[in-house]
Every structure is written in C-alpha cells, then in structure tokens.
Amino acid sequence: MNTPVPGACGPRLPVLRIGDILLVTLHGDLHDEAAGRLQQDIGEAIAASSVGGVVIDISGVEIVDSFLGRVFSEVAAHAKLLAAQTVVAGMRPAVAITLVELGLTLPGLRTALDTDEALRLLAPASTPRLHQNPVRQESP
C-alpha cells in the first residue's frame, strides 16, 4: 500500500512509503533549494518510518549536474547511516553520460533501469521465493 510519509506534503516533493521502501519520483529540473529539502525529507522519512530502502526515480529528469549528483551520493550516505539502502532508478542514457563526463562515481549508490527493478533489488533477502519446493530428507 502506498502511503505518504508525514512532513512530505505541500511544496515539498512527495516521499511515498511502499512497504519497507520509500519512493521518491523526480520530474523536470530539481533546483538547489528543492534538492536540499529532498535530502532532508528523505533522512527524516527514513528515521520516522524505519524503512530498509529508498528508491529515487529520476526517469523524469533530463539534466543532472554535479550538484544533483552529489545530492544523490549524500542521500545514499545518509540512508546507509540510518540502515537503509538507496537505488536510483530510470536514469536516461544522456544523464549517465553526463555523470561520467563530470567524473562523478556516486559511491554507495546503486542503480536500476526502472522502478520495478529497483524494488526487486531492495526486496528483503529473507522473502521466501514462490515455486520453491521444500527439500525432504529420507529417514535412514
């Protein structure tokens, strides 16, 4: 179930909770003030919700500069300190090229082609797999 996280409404970007994961979807240009606010909102939402992962969907972002790349890295570092992993999803090829040209390595940040893949990456390892047959041991 998708539920908004408290404190993430109004002029702020929505931070939605999907189970144990926060989802943030970015569209258009993200100005410096909004990027800083996003960083704070995600940190507060992780602490308040005790989630294990954050997905930042940037499929609607056409330009990522060095500042925004640094914000993504800092969000990942803050999330890691709060025991959560961060995945950036939906990066356009032009954005990836720009980040490489800028020399940004984005340490601690995982990427996924789309939001579905990001959610699968963050799925708890303890989740039982469907179609898994139990192993039966024969008695001696």
Side-chain angles (χ1 to χ4, degrees):
M1 181 167 159
N2 301 352
T3 54
V5 174
C9 342
R12 298 175 181 221
L13 294 167
V15 178
L16 300 177
R17 182 174 179 170
I18 303 172
D20 189 38
I21 297 170
L22 296 178
L23 173 63
V24 181
T25 303
L26 306 180
H27 294 284
D29 294 335
L30 193 63
H31 301 287
D32 292 0
E33 181 181 330
R37 181 177 290 161
L38 172 69
Q39 192 172 3
Q40 181 178 352
D41 288 349
I42 290 174
E44 290 174 1
I46 292 169
S49 305
S50 299
V51 297
V54 178
V55 174
I56 303 173
D57 179 358
I58 64 168
S59 58
V61 176
E62 294 188 29
I63 299 172
V64 173
D65 59 10
S66 59
F67 174 75
L68 190 52
R70 191 172 63 247
V71 166
F72 292 154
S73 289
E74 289 174 1
V75 165
H78 294 155
K80 186 174 181 178
L81 290 172
L82 296 169
Q85 298 178 51
T86 304
V87 178
V88 171
M91 187 178 300
R92 295 172 184 238
V95 170
I97 290 168
T98 300
L99 291 174
V100 170
E101 288 174 350
L102 292 171
L104 297 176
T105 58
L106 306 177
L109 193 62
R110 297 169 69 187
T111 58
L113 292 176
D114 57 33
T115 303
D116 287 338
E117 182 182 341
L119 293 172
R120 282 192 298 275
L121 284 172
L122 293 173
S126 61
T127 303
R129 294 179 185 220
L130 297 176
H131 311 296
Q132 190 172 25
N133 295 327
V135 176
R136 294 185 188 184
Q137 301 226 354
E138 304 264 339
S139 34

